């Protein structure tokens, strides 16, 4: 007698029940990763599993240059500074023309840093802080001016919820957060688009806008006919900051000279499409192409397939979070690459490539040797998931607490100083002073080169036979030859007679 089949739904055999459930389940469609200024996703595989963002693929797709040991070694040799941990560990994944900025630094030729923030909340999170951490280091290493753009207009145009009043309030609070990262007020200018657009800056916006077509913007950003015109126009605004002539109060009014000053832009890699447009048109507008440093994202707490979002509080650690909030978020939401049980963890070890606590340590822990020890212990199974979370919590709490202490000192007068229109210093001098010195140096070098060439010419002339010495004519030469021949014959005859 055959064994009785136990149905898993009343009146249905198991296979039929499974088929029915499968037909009702949503079909999983694999999706490629999406990385642009408005959306970041690592994609989905055929099984519906979220994938980590493939930053190497982004670098290839964007046509950027991967960071290499050679460029890092040159950075250290030229600046005398060890590369920042974000550079050493590959969080700065690629660049455009960093080598040219190092050339300029070696020659003492001016350039400036440019970065920015689209204010969408009252407080920044630690993911926002990382590009500013890198930028502060670069400002110290290069001893150069920095321009920080707060794109409150962009956030208003891209959000259905944010009002102009909201955007302006977020700008003030985010500016104070940025200042608390430790920038030098003598070398830093921060501005809000709503307040600053006009004059030379708006002239450059219009010049750039005139060189960009609707189809180019559609192709770069994926906009369509339903996109509001503000979004179409904004790339010209973001690009204008990359041209030094937008800031005559910093670099001086002489456009011919100031056009020769390029900028270096440290930014998250999703911002690159804006600056590809800018670079493509720079030379047509008689400006230098901006150089870029691309940073990867600090992943959301939920895993490496996304980035932190200011609008999803459980995805991010905010710079305003209290120590217990930091602890609870990491313990509760941080995706673990550890195994399901302690026994499996000891046997198989953890997967640091997807483990959020470990990924955060690569951003926040300065000591390379300590990071390597933690990685080895966790991957070998000697360290449990709870232990690595505890270590991560401590380092993130320390970072946030130190930031909050600096933030307390940033009042309205400090903010106003950073927003003030004033010349900024490049290696202790204003851009105008540096440009004038370089111009004088070029004139001196040109004069010295001419003097050297003249001296060499005179020496060559002195060594050559004098041009006014008459040369014997052909007839005279022939006459001399005949006379010589006749004399020789006479002598010969005389000798013969003797």
């Amino acid at each position: 007698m055959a064994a009785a089949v136990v149905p898993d739904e009343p009146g249905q055999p198991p296979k039929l029940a499974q088929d029915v459930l499968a037909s009702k389940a949503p079909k999983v469609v694999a999706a490629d990763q999406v990385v642009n200024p408005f959306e970041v996703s690592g994609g989905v595989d055929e099984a519906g599993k979220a994938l980590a963002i493939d930053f190497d693929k982004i670098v290839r797709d964007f046509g950027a240059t991967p960071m290499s040991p050679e460029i890092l070694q040159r950075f250290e040799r030229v600046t005398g500074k060890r590369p920042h941990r974000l550079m050493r560990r590959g969080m700065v994944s690629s660049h455009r023309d960093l080598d040219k900025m190092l050339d300029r630094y070696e020659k003492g030729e001016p350039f400036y840093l440019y970065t920015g923030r689209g204010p969408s909340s009252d407080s920044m999170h630690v993911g926002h802080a990382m590009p500013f951490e890198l930028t502060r280091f670069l400002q110290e290493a290069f001893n150069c001016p920095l321009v920080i753009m707060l794109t409150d207009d962009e956030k208003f145009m891209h959000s259905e919820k944010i009002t102009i009043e909201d955007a302006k309030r977020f700008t003030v609070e985010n500016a104070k957060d940025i200042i608390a990262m430790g920038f030098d007020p003598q070398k830093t200018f921060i501005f809000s688009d709503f307040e600053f657009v006009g004059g030379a800056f708006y002239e450059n916006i219009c010049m750039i806008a005139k060189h960009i077509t609707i189809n180019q913007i559609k192709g770069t950003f994926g906009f369509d006919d339903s996109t509001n015109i503000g979004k179409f126009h904004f790339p010209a605004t973001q690009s204008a900051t990359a041209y030094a002539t937008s800031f005559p109060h910093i670099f001086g009014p002489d456009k011919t000279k100031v056009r020769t000053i390029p900028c270096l832009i440290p930014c998250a890699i999703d911002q690159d499409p804006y600056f590809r447009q800018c670079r493509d048109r720079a030379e047509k507008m008689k400006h230098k192409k901006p150089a870029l440093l691309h940073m990867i994202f600090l992943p959301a707490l939920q895993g490496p397939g996304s980035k932190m979002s200011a609008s999803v509080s459980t995805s991010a650690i905010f710079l305003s979070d209290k120590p217990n909030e930091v602890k609870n978020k990491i313990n509760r939401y941080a995706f673990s690459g550890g195994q399901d049980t302690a026994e499996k963890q000891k046997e198989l070890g953890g997967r640091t490539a997807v483990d959020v606590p470990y990924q955060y340590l690569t951003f926040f822990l300065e000591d390379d040797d300590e990071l390597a020890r933690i990685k080895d212990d966790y991957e070998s199974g000697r360290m449990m998931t709870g232990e690595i979370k505890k270590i991560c919590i401590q380092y993130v709490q320390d970072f946030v607490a130190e930031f909050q202490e600096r933030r307390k000192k940033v009042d309205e007068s400090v903010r106003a100083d950073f927003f003030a229109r004033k010349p900024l210093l490049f290696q202790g001098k204003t851009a105008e002073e540096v440009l004038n010195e370089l111009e004088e140096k070029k004139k001196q070098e040109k004069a010295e080169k001419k003097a050297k060439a003249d001296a060499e010419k005179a020496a060559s002339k002195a060594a050559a036979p004098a041009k006014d010495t008459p040369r014997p004519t052909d007839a005279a030469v022939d006459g001399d030859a005949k006379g010589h021949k006749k004399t020789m014959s006479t002598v010969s005859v005389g000798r013969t007679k003797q």
Side-chain angles (χ1 to χ4, degrees), residues 399-445:
F399 180 88
V400 173
E402 290 169 8
F403 165 83
Q404 290 174 358
E405 283 302 308
R406 295 191 300 269
R407 179 66 163 78
K408 291 176 184 177
K409 301 173 185 177
V410 183
D411 58 19
E412 184 55 28
S413 65
V414 173
R415 187 198 70 81
D417 185 36
F418 277 87
F419 276 65
R421 303 186 187 190
K422 59 191 177 187
L424 302 180
L425 301 181
F426 176 78
Q427 297 184 4
K429 301 173 183 177
T430 66
E432 282 191 276
E433 289 171 338
V434 174
L435 289 172
N436 289 336
E437 286 179 6
L438 287 172
E439 187 175 28
E440 287 301 316
K441 184 180 178 182
K442 286 180 181 178
K443 286 180 181 178
Q444 185 178 350
E445 288 174 350

Side-chain angles (χ1 to χ4, degrees), residues 64 73 88 232 301 379 408:
Q73 289 165 9
R88 301 195 304 269
F232 275 99
L301 287 162
E379 289 181 340
K408 291 176 184 177

Side-chain angles (χ1 to χ4, degrees), residues 156-173:
F156 169 70
M157 289 183 288
H158 278 267
S159 173
E160 295 297 326
K161 297 179 180 179
I162 294 176
T163 65
I164 288 178
E165 290 71 24
D166 289 335
K168 286 184 173 181
R169 186 181 75 255
F170 297 156
T171 291
V172 171
E173 296 307 313

Side-chain angles (χ1 to χ4, degrees), residues 38 154 156-160 214-215 217-235 274:
F38 322 110
E154 177 204 22
F156 169 70
M157 289 183 288
H158 278 267
S159 173
E160 295 297 326
I214 292 293
N215 283 337
I217 294 296
K218 284 182 176 180
T220 301
F221 297 99
F223 295 160
D224 56 33
D225 291 345
S226 66
T227 303
N228 71 57
I229 60 174
K231 294 180 183 180
F232 275 99
H233 188 262
F234 180 75
Y274 280 116

Side-chain angles (χ1 to χ4, degrees), residues 198-218:
F201 186 58
Y202 188 60
E203 288 174 15
N204 278 341
I205 291 173
C206 291
M207 287 288 291
I208 295 165
K210 191 173 182 178
H211 285 80
I212 303 176
T213 68
I214 292 293
N215 283 337
Q216 288 168 335
I217 294 296
K218 284 182 176 180

